[in-house]
């Protein structure tokens, strides 16, 4: 990774990016939260709020063309890349501010680093064991600047290959290495300790890893495997639940994820998508609005089961290959299941979903007992969503909706009342009642 | 919208919409037939897994990506989108479109007649969907009384699911066929299905479905769908009131018990030789517009990229019959077939995630007939002494001799293993042949045993013009003897 790659900036207007100060102030001044704030206000426009790139480079993956060390990053930011549209930031921010930004970038690091490999040639009748390499000469070794493993490097039939690297796993949660392989033989060590696989299903092998930075060693032998199988294995780091491929650690794995990117962006009307979506319940109806506030309605419960701001959806993971993985939201959650905005139902008033309607604002029609409601979700701006409930038919009666709580948003109403996270109003046929969800200013 | 889909405008004017396929590697095709490729909208992932054509000839396609496209007057326009991997579509009598996608059977209504659906109505969702990639919802077809039928695929890798082999069920009628009444009531209809990727309805209002080879399924097959019947995969019985989880688990190795409970298929479809992943059965009701194979069933195969025919035979009141290859060399995996009012057979295709011989990832083709009579096996019926083979044209009598009919039989073995080998393969001598007065039919005599697949090869048969049939091997599923 590098901060910028020139060819990516041919058409870039001013990229307001990063800067740094003397290294000595780096550690002392570092403040990841401050760095996050500065990054999002100054750098995210080019490098993406999640550091995954845009006009500027991806700043969290394994590729650092101009060096991945803090001092190298600092130098690059300080000098800028004027030809590529990134100015020098030395005179813009204080040393302390720049230190915090760099620390924040490094804290978001993912993927492999300092990747090296060794290969050993073996006889076809050799045992399926890695102990034999102690007595074998290293046929070839070196470092891989791509920081992506390729198990097909040896161009012989029978071999053992061993990779060693620093692995930057997910910072906030334990993950797993995941391999789309079958009847292949690997051995994995994390920080010098062998790790047993947690899953050995067909095309689904997984090994648990730690959070954050760790040393990893992966060995592979062709003995006992399908000789003709393609050794360009697809390997990833996934979340612990194996629901989301976070990044690839092999060449093929990264290529697979690149192909599994298909962003859906509402332009001048709502986009409606029913696909598998990470963190949302099955059958959910996801709606992206042109104002970049998005939500999901679940027809099984007649509930809003998620709201997020920012980009709508990357459905790529759900339409690549057999479509095993869930789509990923592009923005930030305000809430998601189990939090939900849910009408109170009883045994005598179950929710029965009828339909959704797609001209204008998307709306949903359902029955609660003998009452028929329509709820329309209307984006007000990027940070607020108005839910407009209308009692279409049935008898007048109490409409009660349970609400989620969070410091990320507030929920208000001009009709009825909200008490103990419950919106209540005496609903009349033909009348509409609004609930407004607004993101907090610091969200 | 501005994403990749935005490249498509809602109505795409396409010139030169039809071109003859150049890439198809066809090794068998009857005389007079040709494959034509339909240009699909640019920059659209057009995996055509739902296909129907209304009486006006408007073609509607549901794609695995989740769109519904309409093709009218050589123009594509997007009718709806956002579905969860549809694998079926029906043009209903009232002009609405029904889409079978994973979580729901959804009716689409275009209220303002602007060519775009605005109402997405839940028609049925009475099953459980666990967000598993394999949990397809196939269908629907509609019978004369207005009932809809669909089939639900088992899962693969569903957490905490019941598996007695490769496929599993997390419950909620996975591996069942279902019926939806005109009033909208969801009825679990029959159980024991595995990957029932094709459902169709006959001119006689009978519903048939195909199932894919795999665990508990010896080879792909075609069944008549009947209420409350069990079709062989035990995992769906977890939702059956007479079974439940424990009873299914307790009998996991009791192949004999499940074998006695299950229905026998109308035809076995030999693996690799004919099909691996058959789609929907489509009846030729074109009244001769598609050639001589009227009332026969055509089925496409996703893996083999071919189409094969099924010739039904009703013996002792039960269907059985024969399968024979028809055309291969399609550009992608054939999963949906539908005849249009002109008698042309449209072919919806996909190859994502599952290999197909045709190398393209998706597409739409059609088979057209130019009126030239092909020389092919037309029909095969069981007789008291063997079989009657009827051809489309008179045979050269000199080639109709017993040694020109090479016959063998075999059977499959029902277990939880992934497919079955052929067992008890045995040559059956043909003891006599009798040619009909019109020289079109041959009665062959041989000793038959029920419970077998009987394979008849006739490479040396010729017509009067010394032509050979394009396909000379037919497979008869012999459940019953006369």
């Amino acid at each position: 990774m590098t901060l910028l790659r020139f060819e990516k900036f041919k058409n870039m207007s001013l990229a307001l990016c990063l800067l740094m100060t003397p290294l000595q102030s780096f550690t002392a001044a570092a403040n990841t939260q401050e760095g996050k704030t500065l990054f999002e206000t100054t750098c995210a426009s080019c490098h993406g709020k999640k550091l995954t790139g845009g006009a500027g480079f991806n700043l969290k993956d394994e590729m650092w063309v101009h060096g991945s060390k803090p001092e190298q990053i600092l130098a690059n930011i300080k000098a800028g890349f004027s030809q590529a549209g990134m100015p020098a930031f030395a005179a813009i921010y204080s040393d302390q501010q720049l230190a915090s930004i760099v620390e924040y970038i490094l804290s978001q690091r993912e993927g492999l680093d300092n990747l090296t490999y060794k290969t050993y040639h073996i006889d076809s009748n050799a045992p399926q064991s890695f102990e034999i390499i102690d007595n074998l000469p290293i046929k070839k070794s070196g470092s891989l600047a791509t920081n992506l493993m390729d198990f097909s490097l040896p161009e012989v039939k029978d071999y053992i290959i061993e990779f060693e690297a620093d692995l930057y796993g997910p910072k906030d949660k334990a993950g797993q290495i995941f391999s789309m392989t079958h009847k292949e033989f690997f051995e994995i060590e994390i920080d010098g300790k062998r790790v047993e696989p947690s899953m050995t299903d067909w095309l689904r092998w997984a090994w648990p890893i730690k959070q954050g930075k760790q040393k990893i060693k992966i060995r592979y032998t062709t003995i006992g495997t399908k000789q003709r199988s393609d050794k360009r294995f697809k390997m990833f780091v996934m979340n612990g639940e194996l629901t989301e491929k976070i990044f690839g650690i092999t060449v093929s794995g990264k290529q697979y994820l690149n192909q599994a990117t298909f962003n859906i962006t509402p332009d001048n009307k709502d986009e409606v998508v029913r696909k598998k979506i990470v963190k949302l319940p099955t059958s959910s109806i996801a709606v992206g609005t042109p104002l970049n506030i998005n939500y999901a309605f679940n027809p099984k419960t007649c509930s809003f089961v998620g709201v997020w701001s920012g980009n709508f959806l990357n459905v790529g993971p759900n339409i690549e290959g057999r479509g095993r993985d869930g789509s990923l939201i592009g923005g930030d959650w305000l809430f998601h299941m189990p939090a939900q905005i849910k009408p109170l139902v009883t045994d005598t008033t179950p929710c029965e979903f009828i339909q959704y309607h797609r001209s204008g604002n998307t709306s949903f029609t359902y029955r609660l007992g003998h009452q028929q409601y329509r709820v329309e979700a209307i984006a007000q701006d990027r940070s607020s969503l108005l839910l407009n409930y209308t009692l279409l038919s049935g008898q007048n009666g109490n409409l009660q909706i349970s609400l989620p709580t969070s410091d990320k948003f507030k929920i208000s109403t001009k009709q009825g009342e909200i008490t103990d996270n419950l919106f209540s109003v005496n609903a009349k046929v033909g009348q509409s009642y609004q609930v407004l969800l607004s993101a907090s200013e610091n969200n | 919208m501005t994403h990749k889909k935005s490249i498509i405008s809602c109505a795409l004017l396409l010139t030169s919409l039809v071109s003859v396929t150049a890439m198809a590697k066809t090794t068998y095709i009857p005389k007079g037939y040709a494959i034509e490729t339909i240009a699909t909208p640019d920059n659209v992932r057009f995996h055509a897994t739902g296909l129907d054509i209304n009486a006006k000839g408007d073609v509607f396609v549901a794609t695995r990506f989740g769109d519904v496209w309409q093709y009218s007057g050589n123009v594509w326009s997007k009718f709806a989108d956002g579905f969860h991997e549809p694998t079926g579509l029906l043009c209903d009598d009232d002009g609405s479109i029904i889409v079978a996608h994973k979580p729901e059977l959804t009716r689409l209504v275009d209220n303002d007649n602007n060519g775009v659906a605005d109402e997405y109505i839940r028609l049925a969702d009475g099953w459980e969907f666990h967000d598993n990639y394999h949990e397809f919802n196939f269908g629907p077809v509609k019978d004369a009384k207005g009932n809809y039928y669909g089939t639900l695929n088992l899962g693969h890798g569903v957490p905490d699911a019941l598996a007695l082999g490769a496929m599993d069920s997390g419950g909620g009628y996975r591996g069942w066929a279902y019926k939806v009444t005109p009033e909208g009531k969801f009825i679990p209809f029959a159980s024991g299905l595995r990957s029932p990727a094709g459902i169709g309805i006959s001119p006689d209002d009978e519903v048939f479905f195909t199932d894919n080879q795999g665990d508990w399924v010896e080879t792909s097959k075609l069944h008549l769908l009947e209420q409350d019947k069990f079709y062989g995969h035990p995992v769906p019985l977890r939702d059956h009131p007479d079974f439940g989880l424990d009873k299914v688990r307790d009998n996991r190795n009791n192949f004999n018990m499940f074998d006695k409970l299950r229905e026998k298929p109308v035809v076995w479809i030999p693996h690799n030789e004919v099909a691996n992943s058959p789609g929907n059965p489509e009846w030729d009701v074109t009244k001769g517009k598609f050639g001589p194979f009227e009332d026969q069933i055509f089925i496409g195969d996703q893996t083999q990229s071919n189409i094969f025919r099924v010739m039904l035979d009703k013996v002792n009141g039960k269907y059985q019959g024969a399968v024979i290859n028809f055309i291969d060399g399609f550009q992608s995996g054939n999963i949906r077939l539908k005849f249009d009012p002109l008698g042309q057979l449209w072919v919806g295709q996909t190859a994502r995630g599952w290999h197909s011989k045709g190398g393209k990832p998706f597409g739409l083709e059609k088979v057209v007939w130019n009126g030239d009579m092909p020389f092919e096996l037309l029909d095969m019926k069981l007789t008291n002494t063997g079989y009657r083979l009827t051809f489309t044209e008179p045979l050269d009598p000199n080639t109709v001799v017993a040694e020109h009919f090479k016959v063998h039989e075999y059977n499959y073995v029902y277990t939880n293993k992934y497919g079955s080998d052929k067992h008890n393969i045995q040559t059956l001598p043909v003891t006599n042949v009798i040619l009909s007065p019109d020289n079109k039919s041959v009665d062959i005599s041989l000793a038959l045993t029920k419970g077998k697949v009987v394979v008849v090869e006739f490479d040396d048969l010729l017509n009067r013009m010394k032509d050979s049939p394009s396909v000379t091997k037919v497979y008869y599923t012999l459940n019953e003897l006369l």
Side-chain angles (χ1 to χ4, degrees), chain A residues 180-193:
Chain A
M180 295 168 69
T181 50
H182 182 57
K183 292 184 177 176
E184 303 290 354
F185 192 61
F186 300 95
E187 187 174 85
I188 295 183
E189 289 180 11
I190 299 291
D191 289 337
K193 194 172 179 182

Side-chain angles (χ1 to χ4, degrees), chain B residues 333-353:
Chain B
N334 298 344
I335 189 70
R336 291 290 167 260
L337 298 185
K338 185 66 189 177
F339 281 106
D340 68 13
L342 299 175
Q344 300 178 333
L345 183 58
W346 292 65
V347 188
Q349 300 166 324
T350 181
R352 171 161 68 78

Side-chain angles (χ1 to χ4, degrees), chain A residues 107-406:
Chain A
S107 75
Q108 301 301 302
R109 182 72 200 278
E110 290 177 342
L112 299 178
D113 198 11
N114 302 315
L115 177 63
T116 61
Y117 73 98
K118 298 172 188 169
T119 64
Y120 306 86
H121 293 186
I122 53 178
D123 294 332
S124 59
N125 58 356
Q128 193 182 53
S129 165
F130 295 105
E131 293 177 1
I132 61 174
I133 63 174
D134 293 340
N135 299 314
L136 290 174
I138 296 171
K139 200 68 179 176
K140 199 171 182 184
S141 64
S143 61
L144 292 168
T146 59
N147 283 318
L148 292 168
M149 296 182 291
D150 181 354
F151 288 89
S152 68
L153 279 177
E155 294 176 315
V156 294
K157 183 166 159 272
D158 298 300
Y159 61 87
I160 290 173
I161 188 166
E162 178 183 273
F163 293 99
E164 287 188 78
D166 295 320
L167 169 62
Y168 291 85
K171 286 282 286 185
D172 55 342
K173 53 195 173 186
Q176 298 206 53
I177 287 176
F178 182 81
S179 182
M180 295 168 69
T181 50
H182 182 57
K183 292 184 177 176
E184 303 290 354
F185 192 61
F186 300 95
E187 187 174 85
I188 295 183
E189 289 180 11
I190 299 291
D191 289 337
K193 194 172 179 182
R194 188 170 162 183
V195 180
E196 295 301 323
S198 63
M199 175 183 283
T200 56
D201 294 346
W202 181 66
L203 293 180
R204 292 174 63 81
W205 280 63
W207 296 262
I209 61 171
K210 299 175 180 177
Q211 292 177 227
K213 186 179 178 183
Q214 54 214 288
K215 289 280 185 189
I216 186 168
K217 183 183 288 185
I218 301 183
R219 299 188 183 105
Y220 170 74
T221 178
T222 56
I223 297 299
T225 64
K226 291 186 290 185
Q227 289 294 333
R228 291 184 179 178
S229 68
D230 188 347
K231 306 303 180 188
R232 292 171 296 178
F233 305 128
K234 299 180 181 70
M235 274 192 178
F236 314 88
V237 165
M238 295 188 72
N239 60 351
E241 300 80 23
L242 296 177
T243 57
E244 181 182 348
K245 292 182 177 71
I246 302 172
F247 56 85
I249 55 175
T250 62
V251 173
S252 292
K254 182 164 179 105
Q255 288 171 346
Y256 180 91
L257 282 189
N258 287 343
Q259 290 167 3
T261 299
F262 195 104
N263 292 310
I264 293 183
T265 306
D267 189 359
N268 53 13
K269 65 181 180 63
D270 288 357
E271 288 291 328
V272 179
V273 172
R274 301 188 72 171
K275 292 197 185 302
K276 179 177 182 176
I277 301 170
V278 173
K279 297 189 186 304
L280 290 178
T282 179
S283 301
S284 293
I285 304 168
V287 181
T289 75
L291 293 178
N292 281 354
I293 188 156
N294 318 290
Y295 63 90
F297 183 87
N298 191 274
K300 298 288 187 181
T301 58
C302 302
S303 306
F304 290 91
V305 289
V307 174
W308 65 102
S309 61
N311 294 334
F312 179 40
L313 272 183
N314 170 18
V315 300
N318 201 220
I319 61 169
E320 179 63 27
R322 297 187 177 184
R324 285 186 170 92
D325 297 330
S327 307
L328 302 169
I329 68 157
D332 298 309
W333 288 108
L334 295 181
F335 73 86
H336 61 72
M337 278 287 284
Q340 54 187 318
I341 298 174
K342 182 180 181 181
L344 289 192
V345 297
T346 67
D347 291 342
T348 56
T349 60
C351 146
E352 182 186 2
F353 181 68
I354 298 172
Q355 68 172 79
Y356 57 103
H357 195 273
R358 290 192 60 186
S359 58
N361 294 309
T362 307
S363 64
F364 308 86
T365 306
Y366 58 88
R367 284 190 198 90
L368 292 178
H370 297 297
Q371 293 178 313
Q372 184 169 316
Y373 284 95
R374 180 182 65 225
V375 59
E376 185 180 21
I378 307 165
Q380 305 295 290
D381 52 42
R382 182 187 168 90
S383 60
S384 58
L385 190 67
L386 183 72
L387 306 182
N388 185 39
Y389 289 87
T390 302
L391 177 56
L392 297 175
S393 63
Q395 294 183 331
N396 297 341
N398 201 16
L399 169 64
Q400 293 185 303
I401 298 169
S402 65
L403 306 170
T405 57
S406 169

Side-chain angles (χ1 to χ4, degrees), chain B residues 417-442:
Chain B
K417 289 181 181 173
Y418 204 99
S420 167
D421 293 334
K422 295 176 179 177
H423 293 261
N424 305 310
I425 299 173
Q426 179 173 274
T427 299
L428 301 179
V430 174
T431 56
N432 193 28
V433 296
I434 301 174
L435 185 61
S436 66
D438 66 359
N439 286 356
K440 284 189 172 180
S441 296
V442 184

Side-chain angles (χ1 to χ4, degrees), chain B residues 301-306 330-334 349-362:
Chain B
D301 188 70
Q302 192 271 330
T303 303
Q304 295 296 327
S305 299
N306 68 347
F330 289 84
Q331 64 178 357
S332 183
N334 298 344
Q349 300 166 324
T350 181
R352 171 161 68 78
W354 284 269
H355 169 75
S356 72
K357 282 189 175 176
K360 290 191 174 178
F362 54 77

